[in-house]
Amino acid sequence: MDNQWNDAAAQQAIEDYGHAGEDLALRTYTTRLLGKVPQLVLHGGGNTSVKTRVTDLLGDEYDVLCVKGSGWDMAFIEPPGLPAVKMEPLLKARALDALSDEAMVALQRSSLIDPGSPNPSVETLLHAFLPHKFVDHTHSTAILALVDQESSRELIDKVFGARMGFVPYIPPGFELAKAAADVFDENPQVEGLILDKHGIFTFGDTARQAYDRMIAAINEAEAYIAENGKPPFTPRTDLPANPASALQIAPVLRGAVAEALGEGCYNRFVCDFRTSPAILDFINGADLEDYALRGVTTPDLTIHVKNWPVILPPCPADDVEAWAEEARKAVQRYTEMYRAYFETNNARDDIERTILDPMPRMAIVPGLGIFGFGRTAKTASISGDVAEVWSANVADAEAIGKFYPLPAEELFKLEYWSLEQAKLKSRKVLPLTGQVALVTGGAGGIGAATAKLFATTGAHVVVADLDGDAAAKVAKSIGNQSIGVACDVTDAQSVRAAFDAAVEAFGGVDIVISNAGAAFQGEIGTLDDAVLRTSFELNFFAHQSVAQNAVRIFKMQQTGGVLLFNTSKQAINPGANFGAYGVPKAATLFLSRQYALEYGKIGVRSSAVNADRIRSGLLDDSMIASRSKARGVSEKEYMSGNLLKQEVTADHVAKAFLDLAMAERTTAGVLTVDGGNIEAALR
């Protein structure tokens, strides 16, 4: 592993963070160096600290420990992510015989210089009990390959000799901090501590010394693995010659891991697919169901991916349907195994715990790759990252011996750690969290407003529009990791590609808003036939193409789905010279009902929104001026020409789409959004 220290960059950090002091500036710099390497730190893992002096708001000066705070990513940390904790009470704590995790957190928070700071790391006391100015901690995969062995102590001594202390496994917290400090006291000449089944600490008088020692130790571990490793896996011989693609099976898996909450209701997950030559070597091993089910490489990973993956059978490209049934059964067996794991380990003491959802966060498909799952795209990506690093770590451990992680009962303690359980009770989930919505015409007025509202309500949105650049711009503006795709809804291949993009990004689709359309004018009796056919292509057949793709995905997921159509008041109350627009819209209204009729049996809800006089691409400023002039009213009067005498906006239409999407027992409905138009009211 390359040493990334750079004198010029370190000096720049001092200049950038000079307001925080040189100690904290350099601490921030080397924390980022460590945090940006996934083989060292993954999503909240690892921590660093520096002992220095600061002045509080009253002008009193204290010796403090600036240590990584909860919620900060080491790769992007800023000085506020290293809250200052008074050293004196931390050091006094070492004399205690015991200290619960809750009391430890309270002690650390009560000792903060700034009470508004994030919670200091759970390993704050370990940093405090070591005398060095700078302390670094990572979960290096190379180190884990050494400590995830049955004879880890002997192997660490062989690789590092007396330069590293060895700390037997103890869960993070007060007891670990005391044990690590005791190991250091036995040999104060060590350059670091290796924590069994956990990771590595290095320390020094300067930021560079602590960092250099970290990289040097990791390089020694990597060199040992390279020099002594053997091919870790024997390849299996029964893989299909033509395996299915991730695109073919992701919706099946996404549906299989959706947690049923009640009739027709689910907690849905997002998919993140990973494959590479290294991953394929791992998942194609003949003994996969042995080494992949032993556990995770370090206990903190249980928080992200539980203790083991679900292993699925290989999937031939020409037999996805049969494979899908086996995949669902495999997930069902996984959930049963997880519940049994919880019940067995929960019964070991009297602590009150709430079981987590039993769904897997990793799925292995031999011959293809690994799928990570999460309730959001971000957490799915974290699962994917963890899965990729975990598989490489197991490979290294198997290469030099036999992967030997902590037993299930120890992993359970951290997965159901009281501090993590407390977070669950305060965690807020938005109504559409875990769901994926696709909006056609997504860059237009109604489409963009709808996409924004759905993203705000928790959905990941695929903004599909003829103008791909505009779609991408809308997706970026609404956030929530939404994506924009170019889509010509009159082209079947383009529509298929938009849905494929949704599957590639998120694993599937749950809500489809078929919104794209355009108004065509002309007296119906003299209308050019080509105009009417063009209008039907966009305002009817395009909706059919979108709906067909939606149902295709819904069938694979087997968790129902929502199909919504923008039909316009013209479908109910035709206007003179707008027959070319109204006739296909009327057909689309009945199309929505046909989908409700035929696919309600698989949980698909299909309804329409009937809107009127919305400022958008269909009703632009010039048309508003023309229509108001023709009726002899002002533009304001024209736009508010309804029973409520109020203009209806794209945001109101978006709200109607959202209401229908969340109306769990509504289908074949038409929701009117026009401020009140008796002529367009349904009987």
Side-chain angles (χ1 to χ4, degrees), residues 135-190:
V135 178
D136 295 347
H137 171 45
T138 74
H139 298 159
S140 158
T141 57
I143 297 296
L144 288 172
L146 303 181
V147 295
D148 281 332
Q149 303 286 337
E150 188 168 13
S151 301
S152 53
R153 175 63 185 266
E154 290 80 355
L155 190 54
I156 292 301
D157 288 345
K158 179 179 180 181
V159 175
F160 296 108
R163 289 192 305 104
M164 289 285 172
F166 181 86
V167 183
Y169 178 75
I170 300 172
F174 177 69
E175 290 185 24
L176 174 61
K178 288 192 68 172
D182 289 344
V183 169
F184 173 81
D185 289 346
E186 290 174 6
N187 182 9
Q189 304 305 312
V190 296

Side-chain angles (χ1 to χ4, degrees), residues 491-547:
D491 181 334
Q493 289 185 342
S494 183
V495 173
R496 174 65 182 251
F499 278 84
D500 285 351
V503 173
E504 289 177 354
F506 307 115
V509 177
D510 306 293
I511 304 165
V512 174
I513 298 98
S514 191
N515 167 71
F520 292 82
Q521 301 182 58
E523 185 178 334
I524 194 68
T526 60
L527 189 67
D528 188 326
D529 189 54
V531 173
L532 185 59
R533 290 182 182 277
T534 299
S535 182
F536 260 94
E537 285 295 331
L538 177 58
N539 294 309
F540 173 75
F541 286 108
H543 290 288
Q544 163 69 345
S545 180
V546 169

Side-chain angles (χ1 to χ4, degrees), residues 541-564:
F541 286 108
H543 290 288
Q544 163 69 345
S545 180
V546 169
Q548 285 178 318
N549 275 277
V551 167
R552 174 178 60 84
I553 300 296
F554 295 162
K555 284 181 175 180
M556 296 174 71
Q557 293 176 163
Q558 293 194 7
T559 55
V562 178
L563 188 52
L564 303 175

Side-chain angles (χ1 to χ4, degrees), residues 60-72:
D60 295 327
E61 194 172 24
Y62 292 92
D63 290 322
V64 298
L65 177 79
C66 294
V67 63
K68 197 201 90 166
S70 176
W72 280 84

Side-chain angles (χ1 to χ4, degrees), residues 83-105:
V85 192
K86 297 173 186 175
M87 280 290 292
E88 184 178 1
L90 299 182
L91 294 177
K92 282 184 178 179
R94 189 175 178 184
L96 298 175
D97 293 328
L99 188 66
S100 71
D101 292 333
E102 290 77 10
M104 180 183 69
V105 170

